[in-house]
Amino acid sequence: MWEVVCSVWVYWISLDRIGFVGGIMTFRAFFSRDAAPDSPSVGGTLPHFLQEPEDAYIIKSNPIRLRCRAAPALQIFFKCNGEWVHQNQHMSQEYLDQDTGLKVREVMINVSRQQVEDFHGPEDYWCLCVAWSHLGTSKSRKATVRIAYLRKNFEQDPQGKEVPIKGMIVLHCRPPEGVPAAEVEWLKNEELVSSLSDDNIDTRADHNLIINEARLSDSANYTCLASNIVAKRRSATATVVVFVNGGWSLWTEWSPCSVDCGRGVQKRSRTCTNPAPLNGGAFCEGMSVQKSTCNALCPVDGGWEEWSEWTLCSAQCERQRWRECNAPAPRHRGKMCEGESHAMENCTGGICTQNGKMLHDVKPQSMDGSNDVALYSGLAAGVIAVAVLIISVTLYRRSQSEYGVDVIDSSALAGGFQTFNFKTARQGNPLLLNSSMQPELTAGQTYSGPICFQDSIDKELFDPLPDMMVKVQSSFMVSLGVADRAEYHVKAHTEGYSATQGRKPNLLAPNGPLGPCKAQLRSSGVFGHLGGRLVMPNTGVSLLVSHGAIAEDTSWEMYMLINQLSKYKRCEILLGPEVTYGPPGLSLSSPVAMTIAHCAEVSAENWNIQLKRQTKDNKWEEVMSVEDESTSCYCLLDSKSCHLLLDEPGSYALVGEPLNEHAGKRLKVAVFGSLEASSLNYSLRVYCVDDTPHAFQGVVSAETSRGGLLLEEPKTLLFKGNTYSLQVSIQDLPQFLWSIKPFTTCQEFSFCQVWSSNQQPLHCAFSLERFTTATMQLSCKISVRQVKGHEQILQVYTSVAEREKETLPFFMQADCTVTSQTGAKAFKIPLSIRQRICATFDTANAKGKDWQLLAQKLHIQRNLSYFAKQRSPSGVILSLWEAQHQASGDLDSLASALEEISKIHSKSLAHSPSETEPDFNQ
């Protein structure tokens, strides 16, 4: 009874703390055990906590909830920081445990950020639970409530290191202060080290990263990543370079003595290749060549002994004698005796005979007989060979004439084709140092598009052969209006070039604002009924106006230009230059063929490539997707260019929308170098630009203006749309000769910078300093790689001596002022052949429209409805073929297609004996 009275007194005191109602209920509960002795909630033990409050962290301004659950319990209240929590702030529920039959009570309270911030005690904000039963009270564990945070700055960032191979690497990292304490992970080139499963790397020691034995593959950028429930923080990146010091190879064998007689020198050598120094490792110390004196024994030439006596005369009427080279014998590289060691002669003076004939008569007769046989045998063999050759040629020609099918001799096409061969004899590239060792860099090699028209010194390349004979075989050419076995002439046309005025620009001169050839971004010419071609030099952009597109007695001054500062700012990727042609209001009877170079890695599964046109209010509208059917325009996309058939002048752009992370575009990467103002400083500049001729021309322009030299042939890198960045790093720089600013050996472009560059070049620079002006050579590697993607290595080996201004060789000084060409010179296919092909294939026959078969054989099998609406479908198909083959001029493919068509007509005639010839004039 005394225990009950004491408990009542304690509870009465706590009434002002937990509320009057709660206190009364507690008071009543202690006296209710006599009224309900058999109640299942009445237990024989103190309250037992089934769930105690746990430590918690307040994130930002979100309150936390503490829970307590006990049985048997009449009441449960929270006490925080020594103060009772008011009953109104409690949320409680009660239920009966089916297994034990005891009454279980659960209570919850919320703790806000404001409550924790307002508490100023010697310890953290804490709360516990007090549970009452008939036998007394029980207290839970204390649960602390803290405000979670993570500061921004690391207490210690990892520092870059350069360590020898097999050395130990320790990168220290002390994460920012935070509650709860931050956990640390390490990134190696943006990949978690923990995911690499590398036993050589340990990250367990007090947040530090330890590499037990450094390997070359451990050269990377390392980042310390700290995180807790609030935030993540990244440290500064530490660049680790694992270098290899050079080691000497074994000595070679001693060389022979330098003299043949007397005192000389011999030497042996070794190379610093065991191993070779890498990543700036030290070069081998010591001598690479050893010399030693030597004494060479003087050579003794051999001398003949006296001849021996002659032998007796033999049955063959001969006698012999010998001598030896032993007086003296040759020694110490001396010469052998000159002359014969054995002699033989006739011992009868010619009187001796064999088989009744004099010896001196037998030999000449046998030689004369053998010579006559050889002469007659050779003449007979020659006659037989000539006869076989004549018979073979006769049979071949007869078999060809007996085909009776429509075959067009490919020479008929090749005879009228003017080859635009822009590659000249191989010469050194003045932009490339050590050009004799480097492959050439010409626009003709890198890009398949047109470059420029040569000037008059190469005019013969573009003029048709005067009064050239073209032979036509079989009935197919009869259908073209030419008699079988007839001959016709292709006359040379006299149309000339339309050229812009001014001095001749350099082929590799700038197109950008810094260059002198800015005018070359606009090309114009006057065209009439014969048509012609406009070319933008070094851009991969051209425009073809077909014969007959402009009415007779009419001419148009047409132009084409590339918009340098493209205004295309949408979310799609600009895959090539933005091109405009005009004038507005241009009226043509057939579409023009425009070619635009692009940088996309073509794949219908990865790209949605569209042609867009600029409207009058400077907005861009979609004309068509390259995979769609359209009657307004036509698009033929190959690996590096897009060929368009357009009816309406205006500004056009080829844009792409990536459909997945596998979409890719090609980048052109190049490295240039030049001496800085200080004679000890040298600058390396690495460019990454969309792989189109126009984009790369801007890079060459800028570097030409600042005196930069191309140090390695540009290379192509495939850049994927996988959101990973592009890293550029310098490697294998000799550290005993050159220095570079710390932590600048690796630079990075973000994914968005590269992916949305829209034909604008990106570049980074490495500033190098040599320790002395005696250092005249620079060798290193430039690595350009996409994280988790492809990589290209540019090898730099160059002289850093000041170079006088060089004059570009002829093939880089080609006259690019001629940008338009009119008449027959602009086309690969001679006009007479083109007209006959169109007259034949534009006419229907019993088997259907022949132009469809022509399109099929030329691999144009999509969107044929566009050609069906043209006045001359065959003419438009041939214009598209001209645009597609303007660089290669491969007339063989066209001749092969016509030959296949002739065979198809031949088979159809064989199945229809009543028809002697298809009627092409219906």
Side-chain angles (χ1 to χ4, degrees):
M1 185 62 183
W2 177 249
E3 293 177 356
V4 173
V5 172
C6 291
S7 298
V8 169
W9 179 74
V10 171
Y11 298 153
W12 185 263
I13 294 300
S14 63
L15 281 178
D16 61 333
R17 298 287 184 181
I18 60 177
F20 180 81
V21 177
I24 295 299
M25 291 178 63
T26 304
F27 182 82
R28 290 179 177 177
F30 275 93
F31 291 96
S32 63
R33 55 184 175 181
D34 294 334
D38 298 329
S39 173
S41 65
V42 177
T45 62
L46 289 173
H48 170 67
F49 283 97
L50 303 177
Q51 180 180 357
E52 296 184 87
E54 298 179 352
D55 295 340
Y57 298 94
I58 294 178
I59 301 175
K60 297 182 179 180
S61 298
N62 301 319
I64 56 97
R65 175 167 292 182
L66 300 178
R67 298 172 182 270
C68 273
R69 189 167 68 247
L74 298 174
Q75 281 294 340
I76 300 176
F77 288 99
F78 272 92
K79 197 173 188 180
C80 294
N81 302 317
E83 300 289 336
W84 292 102
V85 178
H86 197 276
Q87 182 181 5
N88 293 340
Q89 300 177 14
H90 290 71
M91 295 165 283
S92 62
Q93 60 180 1
E94 191 177 54
Y95 59 89
L96 193 65
D97 191 333
Q98 299 296 329
D99 297 330
T100 63
L102 297 178
K103 186 179 296 184
V104 178
R105 180 175 292 275
E106 181 177 8
V107 176
M108 297 166 287
I109 63 170
N110 290 333
V111 178
S112 68
R113 183 187 182 99
Q114 188 66 40
Q115 290 176 272
V116 177
E117 290 178 343
D118 291 343
F119 174 69
H120 302 285
E123 54 186 351
D124 292 330
Y125 189 100
W126 59 268
C127 293
L128 58 78
C129 296
V130 180
W132 282 271
S133 72
H134 294 287
L135 295 183
T137 62
S138 294
K139 292 183 180 180
S140 71
R141 65 178 293 275
K142 282 185 179 181
T144 60
V145 180
R146 305 176 69 185
I147 297 175
Y149 66 92
L150 183 63
R151 302 203 183 280
K152 292 184 178 180
N153 297 326
F154 278 71
E155 295 184 4
Q156 182 179 3
D157 284 309
Q159 300 297 315
K161 293 180 179 292
E162 295 182 356
V163 296
I165 194 166
K166 294 187 178 180
M168 176 178 284
I169 302 174
V170 179
L171 298 181
H172 298 280
C173 176
R174 292 177 60 189
E177 178 187 351
V179 174
E183 296 182 356
V184 171
E185 293 181 296
W186 283 89
L187 300 178
K188 176 183 179 182
N189 290 337
E190 303 303 322
E191 294 184 50
L192 283 173
V193 171
S194 58
S195 65
L196 300 179
S197 302
D198 191 343
D199 296 334
N200 192 42
I201 301 178
D202 185 6
T203 58
R204 297 170 296 177
D206 194 22
H207 306 317
N208 299 328
L209 182 141
I210 301 175
I211 301 177
N212 298 314
E213 284 192 6
R215 303 155 299 186
L216 289 176
S217 59
D218 294 322
S219 296
N221 293 324
Y222 292 87
T223 307
C224 183
L225 186 65
S227 62
N228 65 4
I229 60 176
V230 179
K232 288 185 178 181
R233 302 283 186 256
R234 289 171 60 101
S235 72
T237 298
T239 301
V240 172
V241 176
V242 180
F243 61 85
V244 178
N245 291 324
W248 289 115
S249 65
L250 296 177
W251 288 103
T252 61
E253 297 294 331
W254 286 103
S255 67
C257 199
S258 60
V259 296
D260 294 334
C261 179
R263 186 179 181 86
V265 176
Q266 61 181 165
K267 61 182 180 179
R268 63 176 182 174
S269 62
R270 57 181 179 175
T271 57
C272 188
T273 56
N274 187 32
L278 288 175
N279 293 342
F283 200 78
C284 303
E285 296 182 358
M287 296 184 299
S288 61
V289 177
Q290 269 188 352
K291 295 182 179 180
S292 175
T293 59
C294 58
N295 290 303
L297 297 175
C298 296
V300 177
D301 295 337
W304 289 114
E305 293 180 344
E306 295 293 332
W307 285 101
S308 65
E309 296 294 331
W310 286 104
T311 62
L312 297 176
C313 193
S314 67
Q316 287 78 27
C317 308
E318 295 176 342
R319 65 177 182 174
Q320 306 177 49
R321 65 177 180 174
W322 293 267
R323 61 178 176 175
E324 294 185 358
C325 187
N326 287 328
R331 290 175 296 169
H332 313 315
R333 304 175 304 282
K335 297 179 181 179
M336 289 293 295
C337 301
E338 296 181 357
E340 299 293 335
S341 62
H342 173 252
M344 183 174 59
E345 68 178 12
N346 187 281
C347 55
T348 63
I351 301 175
C352 185
T353 63
Q354 294 180 359
N355 300 325
K357 295 183 178 180
M358 296 299 294
L359 289 176
H360 63 274
D361 294 332
V362 173
K363 186 174 182 181
Q365 289 180 6
S366 61
M367 291 178 61
D368 292 341
S370 61
N371 289 339
D372 291 342
V373 171
L375 176 61
Y376 296 141
S377 299
L379 289 175
V383 171
I384 294 173
V386 172
V388 171
L389 179 61
I390 293 174
I391 294 173
S392 300
V393 172
T394 304
L395 292 176
Y396 175 79
R397 290 182 174 178
R398 186 171 300 171
S399 63
Q400 292 294 322
S401 63
E402 290 174 357
Y403 283 157
V405 296
D406 299 327
V407 179
I408 181 169
D409 188 352
S410 61
S411 65
L413 294 175
F417 166 51
Q418 299 83 44
T419 304
F420 297 170
N421 184 10
F422 302 111
K423 289 181 72 67
T424 65
R426 179 180 177 88
Q427 303 183 38
N429 190 336
L431 290 177
L432 276 172
L433 292 180
N434 306 311
S435 58
S436 61
M437 302 171 56
Q438 300 288 352
E440 64 179 346
L441 173 61
T442 65
Q445 176 192 18
T446 308
Y447 304 107
S448 61
I451 306 303
C452 65
F453 296 111
Q454 302 288 352
D455 56 14
S456 58
I457 64 172
D458 288 333
K459 187 175 179 181
E460 305 84 42
L461 294 177
F462 304 99
D463 288 332
L465 297 177
D467 201 21
M468 181 192 63
M469 290 279 190
V470 179
K471 290 188 177 181
V472 181
Q473 298 180 4
S474 78
S475 59
F476 178 73
M477 293 309 292
V478 175
S479 68
L480 297 181
V482 183
D484 192 9
R485 303 287 182 177
E487 297 178 349
Y488 67 97
H489 300 277
V490 180
K491 295 292 184 181
H493 294 267
T494 59
E495 290 79 358
Y497 304 99
S498 174
T500 58
Q501 298 297 323
R503 65 180 181 86
K504 297 181 180 180
N506 194 305
L507 180 62
L508 291 181
N511 277 345
L514 298 177
C517 277
K518 184 176 181 180
Q520 291 302 301
L521 291 181
R522 188 181 193 278
S523 176
S524 63
V526 178
F527 298 97
H529 185 68
L530 295 179
R533 189 192 302 265
L534 282 175
V535 174
M536 301 290 291
N538 305 317
T539 63
V541 177
S542 64
L543 186 75
L544 184 73
V545 182
S546 63
H547 176 272
I550 300 176
E552 294 188 23
D553 302 327
T554 304
S555 63
W556 284 93
E557 182 179 2
M558 298 181 61
Y559 64 85
M560 179 175 61
L561 58 89
I562 294 179
N563 300 329
Q564 279 289 80
L565 302 176
S566 175
K567 299 178 181 179
Y568 192 84
K569 301 297 183 183
R570 299 190 59 177
C571 60
E572 298 96 337
I573 309 303
L574 189 62
L575 300 177
E578 178 188 316
V579 182
T580 301
Y581 86 93
L586 179 67
S587 176
L588 302 178
S589 61
S590 61
V592 298
M594 178 186 288
T595 297
I596 302 177
H598 68 79
C599 63
E601 187 72 10
V602 178
S603 173
E605 293 79 13
N606 302 331
W607 282 103
N608 175 26
I609 299 179
Q610 300 173 341
L611 177 67
K612 299 210 171 183
R613 177 173 53 210
Q614 192 173 22
T615 61
K616 294 181 179 179
D617 55 355
N618 292 328
K619 294 182 179 180
W620 288 90
E621 63 178 6
E622 179 182 346
V623 179
M624 67 173 295
S625 174
V626 296
E627 299 297 328
D628 291 345
E629 300 284 327
S630 173
T631 57
S632 61
C633 64
Y634 188 91
C635 180
L636 178 62
L637 191 69
D638 59 26
S639 60
K640 291 190 176 182
S641 297
C642 181
H643 310 286
L644 306 170
L645 295 176
L646 304 172
D647 295 307
E648 182 179 344
S651 297
Y652 293 87
L654 196 66
V655 300
E657 178 185 2
L659 301 179
N660 52 54
E661 65 178 10
H662 300 294
K665 71 174 185 177
R666 301 183 313 277
L667 298 179
K668 185 70 69 177
V669 295
V671 56
F672 291 81
S674 63
L675 279 172
E676 297 298 310
S678 170
S679 60
L680 294 177
N681 293 337
Y682 194 83
S683 175
L684 290 179
R685 295 175 294 280
V686 183
Y687 289 84
C688 303
V689 63
D690 292 346
D691 184 21
T692 62
H694 168 252
F696 185 67
Q697 187 66 10
V699 173
V700 178
S701 302
E703 283 297 326
T704 303
S705 66
R706 67 185 301 174
L709 294 173
L710 185 65
L711 303 182
E712 165 70 317
E713 182 177 357
K715 296 185 178 180
T716 301
L717 175 70
L718 180 60
F719 188 81
K720 292 286 189 179
N722 53 15
T723 72
Y724 288 103
S725 60
L726 186 72
Q727 295 179 344
V728 182
S729 60
I730 184 171
Q731 303 173 359
D732 298 350
L733 183 69
Q735 290 190 338
F736 55 93
L737 298 176
W738 293 87
S739 66
I740 186 172
K741 291 182 180 179
F743 314 120
T744 62
T745 56
C746 184
Q747 304 183 40
E748 191 167 359
F749 296 115
S750 68
F751 172 79
C752 292
Q753 284 179 289
V754 181
W755 193 245
S756 302
S757 60
N758 287 351
Q759 304 290 297
Q760 298 301 314
L762 303 172
H763 90 281
C764 62
F766 298 98
S767 182
L768 310 180
E769 183 179 0
R770 49 183 170 168
F771 296 124
T772 173
T773 54
T775 301
M776 304 301 293
Q777 298 293 328
L778 170 63
S779 64
C780 62
K781 292 179 181 178
I782 302 294
S783 169
V784 183
R785 64 180 290 267
Q786 184 182 16
V787 178
K788 294 187 177 181
H790 295 78
E791 179 182 20
Q792 280 289 12
I793 298 294
L794 300 173
Q795 180 68 56
V796 175
Y797 184 79
T798 182
S799 170
V800 296
E802 293 189 14
R803 297 164 60 96
E804 296 181 0
K805 188 174 181 181
E806 300 183 29
T807 302
L808 296 179
F810 171 74
F811 75 94
M812 287 191 177
Q813 294 180 337
D815 184 4
C816 292
T817 59
V818 178
T819 57
S820 69
Q821 197 176 34
T822 60
K825 300 180 183 66
F827 303 98
K828 312 296 181 183
I829 306 172
L831 178 58
S832 57
I833 293 181
R834 176 187 177 93
Q835 290 174 335
R836 285 164 175 77
I837 292 176
C838 293
T840 300
F841 291 114
D842 285 343
T843 307
N845 62 18
K847 298 298 180 180
K849 292 288 187 180
D850 277 339
W851 65 263
Q852 297 181 4
L853 186 58
L854 176 64
Q856 178 185 351
K857 295 303 178 183
L858 293 180
H859 308 291
I860 301 173
Q861 301 176 358
R862 187 182 55 81
N863 197 12
L864 295 183
S865 58
Y866 175 82
F867 300 100
K869 77 178 186 67
Q870 301 297 328
R871 185 183 64 177
S872 174
S874 302
V876 177
I877 291 172
L878 292 178
S879 295
L880 184 61
W881 184 92
E882 289 262 8
Q884 189 179 8
H885 296 84
Q886 59 182 310
S888 62
D890 183 16
L891 281 170
D892 290 340
S893 63
L894 180 58
S896 299
L898 297 176
E899 186 174 353
E900 289 184 27
I901 295 173
S902 69
K903 292 179 181 179
I904 295 175
H905 280 297
S906 177
K907 292 179 182 179
S908 65
L909 290 176
H911 288 86
S912 303
S914 60
E915 299 180 15
T916 60
E917 192 74 17
D919 187 1
F920 294 96
N921 299 316
Q922 290 182 356

